[in-house]
């Protein structure tokens, strides 16, 4: 099967490697000519994690990449997604393409999910999401994990799982796009909160963060019309090990460095997602205390220690 992957960051290049080396698909990997990740791959065919297999075609020519396959995997920054789509539909015919979004984020200003943005900008509903736990370092080392694919069309979902399933990644089906997208994006906010706990040397509170964070996200998913139980599955709670505890997690690392006053150079999607969560909480009248505290710390100069302590000052109540 021919597969196109757009995005040459650590996850996009990993997906290309997985499709080519594990699944033996014919892969074209497309990047932006002026992006540092692409420039490095074009010059050396290497990044910090892998050497790009020779059977992967690397290009910055979107027309060529899109012509290669009817199945297009996208892995770029969530805040750039709408602009990317507008440019795409302006210059290319994508009417016969199915897009699989390997991204975890929301539009910060509107709180819109990535499939919502896709449908708005393209007029197509031929879109799925591929989310769940896993770090590129683990996959390259042959350590298996489980992930999930979701779309509106269960036949499409099952077909995509048949394309991408392997002994390295076992996939589950879902038709709860709301739950999967909100859960996957929100776990990055919880990752930042976990890093802040690490920065204060309070790692024992991560158990409480896991339980209350998942409950918070489940409430929002239900209010938006999704299935609250999805928050306790692979898209959200199942991804906590890779986000709240892993040394590889950019979001956890961002939170820890923030508390310690150290600069974080790498992308942490949870920063902008915290704003999106606040927007959604207000829109759907859902209390999201952890998300709001993270957002207040990052964007409103609230004292981190006071903000985290405030979560303990809330009134006592039943857990469920």
């Amino acid at each position: 099967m021919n597969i196109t992957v757009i995005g040459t960051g650590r996850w996009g290049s990993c997906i290309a490697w997985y499709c080519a080396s594990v699944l033996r698909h014919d892969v074209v990997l497309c990047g932006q000519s002026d992006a540092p990740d692409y420039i490095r791959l074009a010059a050396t065919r290497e990044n910090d994690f892998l050497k790009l297999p020779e059977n992967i075609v690397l290009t910055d020519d979107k027309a060529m990449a899109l012509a290669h396959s009817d199945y297009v995997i996208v892995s770029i920054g969530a805040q750039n997604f709408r602009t990317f789509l507008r440019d795409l539909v302006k210059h290319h015919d994508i009417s016969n393409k199915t897009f699989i979004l390997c991204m975890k984020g929301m539009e910060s200003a509107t709180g819109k999910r990535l499939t919502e943005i896709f449908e708005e900008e393209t007029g197509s509903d031929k879109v799925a999401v591929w989310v769940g736990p896993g770090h590129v370092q683990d996959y390259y080392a042959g350590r298996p994990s489980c992930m999930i694919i979701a779309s509106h069309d269960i036949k499409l979902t099952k077909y995509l799982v048949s394309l991408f399933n392997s002994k390295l990644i076992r996939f589950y089906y879902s038709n709860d796009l709301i739950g999967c997208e909100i859960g996957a994006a929100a776990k990055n906010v919880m990752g930042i909160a976990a890093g802040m706990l690490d920065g204060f040397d309070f790692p024992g509170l991560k158990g409480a963060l896991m339980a209350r964070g998942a409950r918070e996200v489940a409430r929002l998913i239900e209010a938006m019309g999704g299935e609250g139980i999805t928050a306790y599955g692979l898209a959200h709670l199942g991804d906590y090990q890779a986000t709240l505890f892993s040394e590889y997690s950019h979001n956890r690392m961002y939170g820890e460095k923030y508390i310690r006053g150290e600069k974080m150079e790498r992308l942490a999607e949870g920063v902008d997602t915290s704003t999106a969560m606040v927007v959604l909480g207000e829109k759907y009248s859902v209390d999201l205390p952890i998300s709001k505290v993270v957002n207040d710390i990052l964007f409103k100069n609230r004292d981190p220690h006071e903000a985290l302590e405030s979560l303990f000052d809330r009134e006592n109540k039943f857990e469920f």
Side-chain angles (χ1 to χ4, degrees):
M1 174 65 71
N2 290 354
I3 301 293
T4 294
V5 180
I6 296 180
T8 51
R10 64 173 182 166
W11 189 230
S13 56
C14 178
I15 292 295
W17 164 84
Y18 173 73
C19 289
S21 297
V22 178
L23 301 175
R24 303 299 179 185
H25 293 317
D26 187 353
V27 177
V28 167
L29 175 60
C30 182
Q32 190 172 322
S33 61
D34 59 352
D37 290 325
Y38 177 81
I39 292 170
R40 182 177 175 185
L41 279 177
T44 67
R45 294 189 68 87
E46 294 183 356
N47 60 24
D48 289 341
F49 310 105
L50 90 159
K51 183 172 180 63
L52 206 63
E54 291 302 319
N55 60 335
I56 294 176
V57 176
L58 178 66
T59 184
D60 62 352
D61 185 341
K62 285 193 181 72
M64 186 275 276
L66 290 168
H68 177 73
S69 177
D70 290 334
Y71 295 91
V72 182
I73 298 171
V74 182
S75 179
I76 63 174
Q79 304 313 311
N80 300 323
F81 190 50
R82 190 182 292 277
T83 301
F84 163 80
L85 288 173
R86 287 179 177 174
D87 178 73
L88 202 66
V89 298
K90 183 178 180 180
H91 296 103
H92 307 282
D93 178 12
I94 61 170
S95 57
N96 294 321
K97 310 293 182 184
T98 296
F99 283 73
I100 303 101
L101 310 183
C102 291
M103 304 155 60
K104 299 172 182 177
M106 293 182 283
E107 192 171 57
S108 62
T110 64
K112 287 188 175 179
R113 296 175 289 113
L114 300 179
T115 59
E116 286 184 285
I117 297 170
F118 180 86
E119 291 173 6
E120 285 179 2
E121 297 297 335
T122 69
S124 169
D125 62 356
K126 296 170 68 173
V127 62
V129 297
W130 167 346
V131 296
H135 283 298
V136 299
Q137 295 93 328
D138 291 326
Y139 287 130
Y140 295 142
R143 303 181 189 113
S145 190
C146 297
M147 302 189 80
I148 189 164
I149 290 178
S151 77
H152 289 305
D153 182 350
I154 191 59
K155 290 183 178 179
L156 172 62
T157 298
K158 289 184 175 182
Y159 179 70
L160 293 175
V161 166
S162 74
L163 280 183
F164 299 121
N165 194 64
S166 75
K167 291 183 178 180
L168 187 60
I169 304 179
R170 172 192 163 92
F171 284 95
Y172 286 81
Y173 314 129
S174 177
N175 56 6
D176 182 17
L177 267 179
I178 292 173
C180 284
E181 290 188 87
I182 297 298
K187 67 95 188 177
N188 286 329
V189 180
M190 301 306 158
I192 291 176
M196 290 178 174
L197 293 178
D198 285 334
F200 282 126
D201 196 26
F202 294 153
L205 279 173
K206 287 185 184 179
L209 175 63
M210 289 172 65
R212 299 313 301 164
R215 186 72 194 106
E216 175 173 315
V217 173
R219 288 198 304 267
L220 178 59
I221 291 170
E222 290 167 353
M224 294 177 66
E227 301 175 17
I229 196 171
T230 301
Y232 303 99
L234 288 166
H236 186 72
L237 185 61
D239 206 353
Y240 272 13
Q241 186 278 332
T243 307
L244 272 63
F245 297 94
S246 174
E247 62 181 309
Y248 303 135
S249 169
H250 284 182
N251 290 281
R252 191 211 59 77
M253 190 184 305
Y254 184 96
E256 182 175 355
K257 285 181 176 290
Y258 187 93
I259 295 303
R260 294 180 176 175
E262 300 172 9
K263 191 172 182 179
M264 174 78 173
E265 300 290 347
R266 295 175 177 175
L267 174 69
E269 286 279 15
V271 174
D272 289 317
T273 301
S274 72
T275 300
M277 289 292 284
V278 171
V279 169
L280 290 175
E282 293 173 352
K283 179 178 179 179
Y284 291 95
S285 300
V286 178
D287 187 25
L288 305 174
I290 299 171
S291 300
K292 189 173 187 307
V293 158
V294 170
N295 189 254
D296 283 351
I297 293 170
L298 297 181
F299 291 101
K300 298 184 179 179
N301 296 317
R302 189 173 176 186
D303 178 74
H305 198 278
E306 178 275 324
L308 291 169
E309 276 196 339
S310 72
L311 294 173
F312 283 82
D313 293 333
R314 292 163 59 83
E315 66 175 321
N316 299 109
K317 59 184 179 181
F318 285 103
E319 183 179 15
F320 297 107

